[in-house]
Amino acid sequence: MIDRREILDMATRMSLNPDVVEKDYVLGWMLAGINAHDELRDSWVFKGGTCLKKCFFETYRFSEDLDFTLRDGVQIEDGFLQRVFGKIGEWIYENTGIEIPPEAIAFDIYTNPRGSISCQGKLAYRGPLRKGGGGVRGLPRVKLDLTADEHLVLAPVAAPVFHPYTDTPDGGIQITAYAYEEVFGEKVRALAERTRPRDLYDVINLFRRTDALPAPAVLLDVVAQKCRFKGRAAPVLTDFDPHREVLANLWENMLAHQLPMLPPYEQYWDELPAFFDWLSGGALPRMPAAFVMGAGETVLRERILNLPASPAIQSMIEIVRFAAANRLLVELDYDGTTRHIEPYSLRRTRDGNIVLHAYNVESAGHRSYRIDRMRGARATNQTFVPRYEIELSPQGAVRIADTVRKASTSLAYPASSTGQRRPASPFAAPRQKAAKPFGQATYVYQCTICQKKFRRDRMNGQLNAHKNDWGSQCSGRNGFLVDTKD
């Protein structure tokens, strides 16, 4: 498990509550555990807002729940779920130290409005911010939303999971997920069905990512099939007029904690007409041209930037990307002063520097900023109307700086259609060992002095010097075997 300092540092850089960042960290390892389990890997299909954040757009709103469509409805059964998540909890603890207490795993199975069985699960966890013992009362929880009667329009995909923490396993993490067009269509359907602020935010945010937009006819077909399955007509713009005031009143309470900076509600509501016009076959809103390319410049838009820079620089770039997607000015600390900028493009110059092209509000002109000289970046609540094309949303797979990595036998990404493996997380510092597969025996030894427990892949009770739970040092000695787990 990573140190709590890593969570606190990222929370500071991203202007988020540390609990939100810790949950994002735990969600990544829960997805890894689900994908590592033979009975769930191919039958559970990841979806929803957390899927958008963890699989498609890292610069997205943070989320809290894990939503899955199950291909085998027989698996929505309390005994089965308790068994597999007991094993997943052990697997996660073995690989990370994150605790999921068995007594705090609960599932509520119910009949949904369509007359089929669905389930809501709650899994408490003890992560980097809450190391040590104690009861489960008051521990944070992840909610699981499981359904087995959803209509899958498109074939699921094997999607990489963004896990921007230093304990990323060899080969990274992946999960079976909805295709992007299907996640987008589900969001449009959800906006029509429940009209929540996060659905409005999601739909307009995805609409703005013009480089990733599906063909409108394809998206409209997905939406129509999704709505027909739910017994309702596909939404039109006028359906939302009665909900305007409710959405405005709930905007801050339901979204602010998931974002580094909350954009104004009106900015999103006012784009709904353009979205529905495009969805019905109209043209996209006219976009300005990109800032002129310098000699030898290359635009950098890969999903995962493998930058030769510190984690602080990586986080600043994600803040800049977030602000650009939400049309918010960035407060940039650079060369000893603070500037307010409109961010537009990240490029590599002919001489190998990586620069951010932006419009400086104070000097009213274009400027470029070397990322290695950036000392801080914060999204503000001041909006801007783009004067150039925003080239900061990720796409493609251009590599900036490659690193030779050892192939993994566990949790490895499948080869792409071009035969190349997907890139690993940019934030991972020294690579960690591959995650331990299910089914391998584990031997639990306990220190005779501090009573701390250690798991071993083989029978070897020799314990190295270690810190106990109170921060004191125990010297190396033999422990005694207290448990064996298969």
Side-chain angles (χ1 to χ4, degrees):
M1 180 161 55
I2 62 175
D3 189 81
R4 70 192 306 268
R5 188 73 257 166
E6 185 172 340
I7 295 292
L8 296 174
D9 287 347
M10 182 173 287
T12 299
R13 292 195 299 266
M14 299 296 291
S15 301
L16 289 166
N17 187 308
D19 290 337
V20 173
V21 178
E22 182 189 48
K23 180 169 286 190
D24 181 71
Y25 167 70
V26 172
L27 289 176
W29 275 106
M30 285 190 177
L31 291 171
I34 289 169
N35 188 69
H37 199 290
D38 290 340
E39 294 177 87
L40 308 187
R41 181 184 302 114
D42 298 321
S43 63
W44 286 37
V45 189
F46 190 30
K47 62 182 180 181
T50 313
C51 180
L52 287 169
K53 163 69 178 172
K54 300 300 285 185
C55 296
F56 294 105
F57 298 113
E58 192 168 9
T59 54
Y60 206 67
R61 66 175 175 88
F62 282 71
S63 195
E64 302 174 339
D65 309 327
L66 295 177
D67 299 342
F68 289 89
T69 289
L70 277 59
R71 289 167 154 175
D72 184 359
V74 174
Q75 293 182 340
I76 300 184
E77 190 271 324
D78 188 72
F80 172 84
L81 294 170
Q82 289 285 351
R83 175 176 65 82
V84 296
F85 275 95
K87 287 292 186 182
I88 288 171
E90 292 177 5
W91 183 90
I92 291 173
Y93 182 82
E94 169 64 24
N95 284 285
T96 70
I98 298 168
E99 294 183 61
I100 302 175
E103 65 272 25
I105 299 176
F107 298 97
D108 177 22
I109 297 172
Y110 62 95
T111 301
N112 64 34
R114 299 179 298 280
S116 299
I117 298 297
S118 294
C119 176
Q120 280 198 349
K122 291 184 179 179
L123 288 75
Y125 60 87
R126 187 176 286 111
L129 299 182
R130 296 168 181 83
K131 292 180 182 178
V136 300
R137 189 172 183 179
L139 287 179
R141 284 170 166 75
V142 168
K143 188 179 80 173
L144 288 173
D145 194 342
L146 312 177
T147 55
D149 64 340
E150 293 289 347
H151 176 55
L152 277 167
V153 179
L154 303 172
V157 299
V161 174
F162 295 122
H163 187 73
Y165 306 95
T166 56
D167 66 346
T168 304
D170 281 343
I173 300 171
Q174 73 174 36
I175 195 74
T176 301
Y178 274 21
Y180 176 65
E181 297 88 344
E182 186 135 14
V183 184
F184 198 161
E186 275 280 296
K187 280 295 169 185
V188 178
R189 195 261 322 151
L191 176 61
E193 187 171 311
R194 61 193 185 189
T195 323
R196 293 180 182 172
R198 68 172 180 258
D199 297 320
L200 172 61
Y201 177 88
D202 290 343
V203 167
I204 298 305
N205 197 290
L206 298 180
F207 177 53
R208 287 175 172 177
R209 299 175 188 263
T210 55
D211 55 287
L213 276 178
V218 172
L219 182 61
L220 185 59
D221 180 59
V222 171
V223 173
Q225 290 195 50
K226 294 284 184 182
C227 290
R228 187 160 55 247
F229 175 75
K230 297 281 187 175
R232 59 185 305 130
V236 294
L237 179 62
T238 54
D239 293 340
F240 300 96
D241 289 339
H243 304 285
R244 178 172 186 170
E245 187 173 341
V246 173
L247 283 169
N249 291 338
L250 295 176
W251 186 254
E252 181 172 356
N253 287 340
M254 295 188 72
L255 269 180
H257 65 290
Q258 297 180 350
L259 299 166
M261 178 59 68
L262 183 67
Y265 162 73
E266 293 77 15
Q267 188 187 48
Y268 282 74
W269 176 265
D270 291 346
E271 283 194 53
L272 268 181
F275 168 73
F276 277 100
D277 181 60
W278 167 80
L279 188 63
S280 61
L284 279 170
R286 184 178 176 276
M287 299 297 293
F291 184 76
V292 63
M293 293 284 288
E297 278 191 332
T298 304
V299 177
L300 303 175
R301 299 188 70 167
E302 62 176 324
R303 289 188 183 279
I304 298 177
L305 290 173
N306 213 8
L307 294 174
S310 69
I313 294 293
Q314 302 280 2
S315 294
M316 280 187 269
I317 289 173
E318 296 311 314
I319 291 170
V320 168
R321 281 178 159 178
F322 166 82
N326 289 276
R327 311 298 192 260
L328 298 174
L329 293 182
V330 172
E331 196 173 67
L332 183 69
D333 298 332
Y334 189 84
D335 275 353
T337 62
T338 299
R339 299 97 187 274
H340 291 82
I341 63 168
E342 302 170 4
Y344 287 105
S345 183
L346 192 67
R347 301 179 185 180
R348 182 172 50 199
T349 65
R350 181 167 50 187
D351 57 4
N353 292 317
I354 299 172
V355 300
L356 172 67
H357 285 275
Y359 184 87
N360 186 300
V361 174
E362 284 88 3
S363 60
H366 165 266
R367 296 290 185 272
S368 61
Y369 303 96
R370 281 177 46 169
I371 66 165
D372 57 324
R373 295 177 180 171
M374 292 164 52
R375 295 294 177 263
R378 296 165 296 279
T380 75
N381 60 2
Q382 296 175 266
T383 63
F384 69 92
V385 176
R387 62 191 76 226
Y388 305 109
E389 179 187 354
I390 293 176
E391 300 177 303
L392 285 164
S393 57
Q395 68 173 184
V398 178
R399 301 299 298 271
I400 297 177
D402 206 354
T403 303
V404 176
R405 304 197 186 280
K406 182 175 67 175
S408 170
T409 58
S410 178
L411 300 180
Y413 292 141
S416 67
S417 59
T418 62
Q420 296 177 332
R421 292 197 174 274
R422 299 180 187 271
S425 167
F427 295 91
R431 302 299 293 176
Q432 306 296 315
K433 66 179 182 179
K436 178 178 177 290
F438 280 103
Q440 182 175 321
T442 298
Y443 304 96
V444 183
Y445 288 88
Q446 190 166 19
C447 177
T448 57
I449 301 299
C450 70
Q451 310 303 309
K452 188 171 184 177
K453 294 180 181 179
F454 298 84
R455 286 163 166 76
R456 297 284 184 265
D457 294 341
R458 59 185 182 276
M459 295 187 70
N460 179 4
Q462 179 62 42
L463 305 180
N464 296 325
H466 57 273
K467 284 186 177 180
N468 59 35
D469 290 337
W470 300 275
S472 301
Q473 191 82 2
C474 276
S475 59
R477 64 187 69 248
N478 283 323
F480 60 95
L481 184 66
V482 294
D483 198 5
T484 302
K485 299 177 180 294
D486 294 322

